[in-house]
Structures are given as C-alpha cells and as structure tokens.
Amino acid sequence: MTPLARRLAGFDRFSTAQRAVLGYYAETGRIDYRALTIKSAVDNRMETILNDVYDGCAAALADEFGVDADAVRFRYETKLTLPAELTLGYLYRRALARSTPGYDPVDDETGGVRGRLGVVDLSAPANAEARAYVERAEEATALIVQALLDGDMRDAINDDEFEDFDVTITGGPTPDPRRVATRVQTHLQGVVESAFDRAPDAVRTAYDDAVDRSEAHQERDERFREAFSDALDGIEGAADRIEREYKSAPVPADTPFTDRERDLPYLKTQYDRVGVIYDGMLDAYRGIGFNIPEAFSRSIVLAIIGAQIWLDDVDDYDDDVADGQLTPVTAEYVLHDDDAAAYEAVVSITNRYFDLARSYAEAADSPLNGIAVEYILLSGEPERLPGSGV
C-alpha cells in the first residue's frame, strides 16, 4: 500500500472519482492510464445509451398524456447501470488488445506515434474484427441497460417508490408518479421483449432465470419482516431465526461461488436479492457471444452486494427500522447487544465483500472493477449509523 496515495484518497478537495483512482493505487501500487481512457469512453457511450432510452420513454409519456413529444422531459436516477458500465469497459479493453498498435477500435481512429506517422493499417483484419467487437458490445449493453431499468421500475411500482423519477410536462398536467412509472415500464418491457425476440434464446433464459430467483426472494420478505419484528419485541428465538435463515443461510450449490466466498455473512439472501440480477446480466452477455471470465463475474457480484449494504442499507437504516424491513444492517443491530458492536460488524462484513471483489478484479485484469470498489467505499456514509462514534 502507498501511504501518500491513501492519504490523498481521503482528501475531500479531490472528486470522488479522483479519490477512487488514488485509493486503487494505494491498494495495488498500480495506475492504469488505459483504464482511465476506457472509463471516459464508457461514460460517453453510457450517456448516449441512456439519452436514447429516456427519449423513448418521453415519447411514450407524450402519447400517454396527449401532448407533443418535445413537451416531455424524462430522466431516472439509478445506480443499476454500474455493472453494465464495468462490463462494457472490460469488453473495450478486450477489443483494444485485439487491434494493431496505433488503432483505437473504440473511437475508430488512429492514435499514438504510429497513427501520427501514418503507418497504421486500417484495413488489417484484426482492426475490422476489433471494431465489430466494439459495436456488438455497445449493442448488447444498450439492451441490457434497458432490461435493468425495466426491472428497477417494476420494483419501484411494487414498492410505491417514485422519488427517482424526474418528469416535466410543459403545458400539460402534473403527472401522477404511478401512472408515469407504469407507462414507462410498459414501454421498456415492450422494447426489451422485442430485442429478446431477435437475440439468442440463451439471453432471454438468463434474464428470466435471474428475475424468477429475485422475485422468489421478494416472496420471502414477509417472513423476514416477522423475524425482525419479533426480535425488536424481544421474543425468544427471533434473533436465532435471523442468524440461521437470513445471515447464515446455506448457499445452494448452483450459485457461482467457491469455498472462498461461501462463509460470507448474508451471501445467500443478498445474492438472491441483488447479486443474481447481475449474474443474469453477465450470462446475457455470454449468450450474445462474449467470453466473460468467472473472476470478473464474482468481482461484479460481490462489489454490488457490498454496495447494496454500504450505500442503500446504511442510508436507509432509519427508514428500514421504521418500516420493519430486515436488511444486513438492521439485522446486525438486533444481533448485537450494543450499537458500537453492530456498527463495527457492518463495516467488517462489508469490507470482506470489497476485499474479495478487489481480489477477483485483479484476477480478471480489470482495474476498472478495482477502481469501482474504491468509488463505492468512498461514497458510503457509515457515520450515519448508531454507534459510529461520530
């Protein structure tokens, strides 16, 4: 670890993204300039993809409310696209490795000394193949982003949570949030279903399997709520049920984990809650024809489970307690006798997920995944929890 880089990563004057790069360097001693260039390209492409998606949603809303298309502005705040962004970055890196020196298949142009000297063979088969690979990766990512948004909006409708919808209708009525969410979700479902009809069967299978498993977890939510309520009321055996059925539930053999991960607290329930969606996403990429290594998949899934705890569950702690929602964070506060011990447990458990995610990012040669882990860590606010001492 580089002490200066770690100190700089904690310096608030830098942006979170800059601090994440410094944190990654502090952990690995590695600054990958190509990763930074790839991240910029991914950001640009993702902005284009999301703008296209949101424009389609706005058109659907214009039809729903009977106004001109240019009278509707639609945006949606979501963290769900991060794994797709990381996967696109990984595929960009693979495309660059396939091309000849001096040609950038992502920008489809020459660069570097060889490019300036005009000695790059643009007609080389390797360059044509690399460019085609980039285009397929971008098309796959556009489809997968829409599928992720479709699923997220279904959850918003089921949970009556519409604060992430940003909708303006000029000269029209104040839109009812549920009506907006329902119309947008219906539109996205139609787009995704049409795209699945054109894709290999393995893509739809991967998506449907992930959704089925995630929905099965939701069906167990009431049982988890009952255990949480009983624990808060001091009913004998409730804490043991949370430990046995929620925190230390056995991980099925068909989940993509090795013995190295299987003793992670909450792995089974949080994999079913969020991790399986991203395993399905990566299987969809594989169904389209991309070779995604298992180390990359585990890095994504473990980082996302960690992020769910470190960001959402920490931020929502007070609301979750009030609503009777069992999460890894609320669970730790009923499994420990004092707040300080519960706080330390939350931090320790989350770091175990992030440490493994970093390790697998290194194995997959995906520095962007490692930087993403640092970004997630720096974005958390654990000091909001009881017992933090802040």
Side-chain angles (χ1 to χ4, degrees):
M1 180 182 292
T2 306
L4 176 60
R6 177 52 68 191
R7 288 198 297 273
L8 289 173
F11 195 36
D12 289 341
R13 188 169 295 180
F14 293 115
S15 70
T16 304
Q18 290 169 330
R19 292 165 62 206
V21 172
L22 289 166
Y24 177 73
Y25 174 61
E27 288 291 332
T28 66
R30 176 183 179 189
I31 290 183
D32 190 314
Y33 295 102
R34 173 170 282 187
L36 303 180
T37 301
I38 290 173
K39 183 183 184 307
S40 177
V42 169
D43 289 345
N44 291 337
R45 174 51 56 181
M46 193 60 60
E47 182 179 6
T48 299
I49 288 172
L50 288 173
N51 283 339
D52 288 345
V53 172
Y54 295 151
D55 287 348
C57 294
L61 289 172
D63 181 65
E64 175 73 14
F65 289 99
V67 299
D68 292 337
D70 58 4
V72 180
R73 180 187 180 278
F74 175 84
R75 289 295 183 269
Y76 182 67
E77 185 67 31
T78 180
K79 305 180 186 117
L80 278 179
T81 61
L82 176 60
E85 294 171 31
L86 294 173
T87 307
L88 180 59
Y90 178 78
L91 297 177
Y92 277 170
R93 193 179 189 91
R94 297 282 292 271
L96 284 161
R98 294 179 176 206
S99 61
T100 62
Y103 174 68
D104 184 345
V106 178
D107 291 332
D108 193 21
E109 60 184 27
T110 58
V113 174
R114 293 176 64 86
R116 289 194 293 274
L117 293 175
V119 296
V120 179
D121 182 5
L122 296 178
S123 65
N127 292 336
E129 291 172 6
R131 180 57 195 168
Y133 187 90
V134 165
E135 291 174 352
R136 287 198 302 119
E138 292 174 346
E139 290 171 2
T141 301
L143 165 59
I144 286 166
V145 163
Q146 290 180 99
L148 291 172
L149 289 173
D150 173 35
D152 200 32
M153 290 181 186
R154 289 173 193 248
D155 289 342
I157 293 167
N158 290 337
D159 298 337
D160 286 319
E161 294 179 351
F162 306 116
E163 61 271 14
D164 293 330
F165 289 81
D166 180 8
V167 186
T168 303
I169 300 180
T170 304
T174 300
D176 172 66
R178 174 169 285 276
R179 185 177 174 188
V180 167
T182 300
R183 182 65 186 93
V184 168
Q185 188 276 316
T186 301
H187 163 73
L188 285 176
Q189 182 179 353
V191 172
V192 171
E193 288 290 336
S194 177
F196 280 167
D197 287 342
R198 300 189 302 272
D201 291 344
V203 178
R204 180 187 291 275
T205 298
Y207 178 77
D208 288 346
D209 287 350
V211 169
D212 288 346
R213 187 160 189 158
S214 179
E215 289 180 347
H217 173 79
Q218 295 297 326
E219 291 170 1
R220 293 192 292 274
D221 185 61
E222 192 58 39
R223 180 173 176 80
F224 294 145
R225 284 177 177 271
E226 290 174 1
F228 184 45
S229 177
D230 289 349
L232 291 175
D233 291 340
I235 295 176
E236 185 177 355
D240 289 341
R241 283 174 54 203
I242 291 173
E243 175 74 44
R244 184 176 63 255
E245 299 178 14
Y246 192 73
K247 182 175 181 177
S248 302
V251 180
D254 63 346
T255 51
F257 299 111
T258 68
D259 291 342
R260 190 181 181 192
E261 302 93 53
R262 286 178 175 270
D263 65 342
L264 283 169
Y266 303 105
L267 180 61
K268 198 274 182 186
T269 51
Q270 301 315 295
Y271 178 73
D272 289 351
R273 180 187 180 193
V274 293
V276 69
I277 294 297
Y278 296 104
D279 247 346
M281 177 198 82
L282 293 162
D283 281 342
Y285 275 106
R286 293 183 180 108
I288 292 169
F290 294 102
N291 180 22
I292 307 291
E294 285 299 322
F296 182 90
S297 298
R298 292 195 185 101
S299 175
I300 290 281
V301 169
L302 293 169
I304 289 301
I305 292 176
Q308 177 68 41
I309 300 170
W310 191 246
L311 302 181
D312 290 2
D313 294 345
V314 166
D315 288 351
D316 295 342
Y317 172 75
D318 290 332
D319 290 339
D320 287 339
V321 171
D323 293 341
Q325 180 67 57
L326 186 62
T327 71
V329 175
T330 58
E332 288 303 309
Y333 280 85
V334 297
L335 293 175
H336 287 84
D337 293 333
D338 64 86
D339 288 347
Y343 169 80
E344 292 298 333
V346 170
V347 173
S348 175
I349 288 167
T350 312
N351 277 322
R352 287 182 64 187
Y353 277 95
F354 290 146
D355 286 345
L356 280 169
R358 286 192 194 97
S359 175
Y360 280 120
E362 186 79 11
D365 190 26
S366 181
L368 277 181
N369 286 21
I371 293 170
V373 170
E374 298 301 323
Y375 187 91
I376 293 165
L377 266 171
L378 291 167
S379 299
E381 297 181 287
E383 64 275 8
R384 298 174 59 170
L385 291 174
S388 69
V390 176

